[in-house]
Amino acid sequence: MTAGSRTRLAVALAAVTLGFVTFGGCGDPASNKTAGPSDVLPVVVPGGSVRDGAGPGEKSSASITVAAAADLRTVLTAMKPDLERTCTTQITFVFGSSGQLKNQIEAGAGFGLFLSADSQYPRDLARAGGVVPNGVASYGVGRLVLATRQGLAPVTSIEQLSRPDIKRIAIANPDHAPYGRAAKQALENAGVYGAIKGKLVLGENIRQTTDYVEKGDADAALVALALVIQGSPASYTLIDGALHQSIEQGGAVIKGTGAELTGRCILQYVLDPAGQEALKRFGFEAAMR
């Protein structure tokens, strides 16, 4: 072997060795998993700015359609006049389960902004190339509550769902609704899921699930605090957040809609103090900084 060949071989071996060291260092020691794209994707949090990095081709629009998680219906309806005035636009909200809204965006639905109840969905869209640069943000954390219909003694713990007078229990569909996944996790971790599974009624989203208990179609329900904190006829008890994964919520400004700057403006308002204060009034907690 020539001196040049030996040098090239040494460099190659060093590169391979370095690659293994770096690969191992990115992993989770407990799970032996390596860091994925979601671990390195830049995500703006309250106090940060999604205005930074706007591209020259991005535009403002006199109207925008926003896909929003069903738990945001009440707070966004209250915020709408300020959002429209601040961003000089007319907003149409389409509320639904976050998973279904994400599927619609992937299928080409004309939403300029996505406000999800699961912060992973905006990250997924960004990794697929459907989001503007610096266009993903975590804006808050939702809380899960145990609600009881009028006319029944309040259910104050998950264990009480086995009461004989509790015949129908509503949760959002865990297949596509983040609050439904959290509800199922809470029931499982509390050790009651198997015993009450036959009582479950699934709502398509968390707003429909809340309607079930408020209208008396379910005796109890695991729903979003944001939907019952003001004016609900149902009584409710906060569920221990340790029983389920955190319901971190996030937004994404969708690329190529002709309303990118308007979407940035709305998402920025949600991240700024006025938006955060509105979310707090409806029971949301601040996203991790």
Side-chain angles (χ1 to χ4, degrees):
M1 181 180 294
T2 65
S5 297
R6 287 195 295 271
T7 300
R8 287 192 296 272
L9 178 59
V11 171
L13 290 173
V16 171
T17 302
L18 179 60
F20 278 120
V21 172
T22 304
F23 186 81
C26 291
D28 179 350
S31 63
N32 202 30
K33 293 181 180 179
T34 59
S38 62
D39 299 306
V40 297
L41 181 71
V43 177
V44 181
V45 295
S49 174
V50 293
R51 293 192 180 95
D52 297 340
E58 296 183 20
K59 299 177 181 179
S60 298
S61 176
S63 63
I64 187 171
T65 302
V66 176
D71 70 320
L72 296 170
R73 179 184 291 272
T74 310
V75 64
L76 286 182
T77 299
M79 291 168 64
K80 184 178 179 182
D82 290 332
L83 288 169
E84 291 184 329
R85 182 173 58 253
T86 300
C87 299
T88 319
T89 193
Q90 181 177 351
I91 303 172
T92 299
F93 289 115
V94 175
F95 296 98
S97 78
S98 296
Q100 290 178 332
L101 292 172
K102 173 179 175 283
N103 291 340
Q104 291 175 35
I105 292 170
E106 291 173 328
F111 300 130
L113 176 65
F114 179 34
L115 297 174
S116 170
D118 184 339
S119 62
Q120 188 60 45
Y121 290 151
R123 292 179 170 96
D124 292 343
L125 293 173
R127 289 201 302 274
V131 176
V132 300
N134 194 52
V136 175
S138 291
Y139 59 80
V141 176
R143 292 301 307 271
L144 191 67
V145 299
L146 181 55
T148 313
R149 70 168 174 85
Q150 282 185 313
L152 282 181
V155 179
T156 58
S157 71
I158 290 180
E159 290 74 18
Q160 290 183 16
L161 289 172
S162 60
R163 283 173 16 192
D165 60 332
I166 305 298
K167 303 183 185 304
R168 289 165 60 88
I169 303 165
I171 67 171
N173 192 326
D175 290 342
H176 50 72
Y179 278 90
R181 289 199 300 272
K184 185 178 180 182
Q185 289 168 0
L187 293 170
E188 289 173 337
N189 289 329
V192 302
Y193 182 76
I196 59 91
K197 185 177 179 180
K199 299 182 179 183
L200 292 181
V201 179
L202 302 184
E204 278 302 294
N205 56 64
I206 200 62
R207 177 64 261 178
Q208 185 182 71
T209 307
T210 306
D211 286 342
Y212 285 160
V213 72
E214 289 184 338
K215 295 177 180 180
D217 296 322
D219 299 312
L222 279 71
V223 299
L225 173 61
L227 295 178
V228 296
I229 195 171
Q230 294 191 17
S232 174
S235 59
Y236 65 87
T237 298
L238 200 63
I239 289 176
D240 184 356
L243 289 174
H244 59 83
Q245 291 182 347
S246 174
I247 309 174
E248 182 185 346
Q249 309 203 182
V253 181
I254 307 304
K255 185 169 66 177
T257 64
E260 297 87 358
L261 294 178
T262 304
R264 286 185 188 274
C265 180
I266 295 170
L267 185 53
Q268 187 63 55
Y269 186 96
V270 174
L271 295 173
D272 284 346
Q276 289 293 295
E277 182 58 34
L279 289 171
K280 183 178 179 181
R281 289 198 304 271
F282 283 86
F284 291 93
E285 297 177 352
M288 294 290 290
R289 293 181 182 271

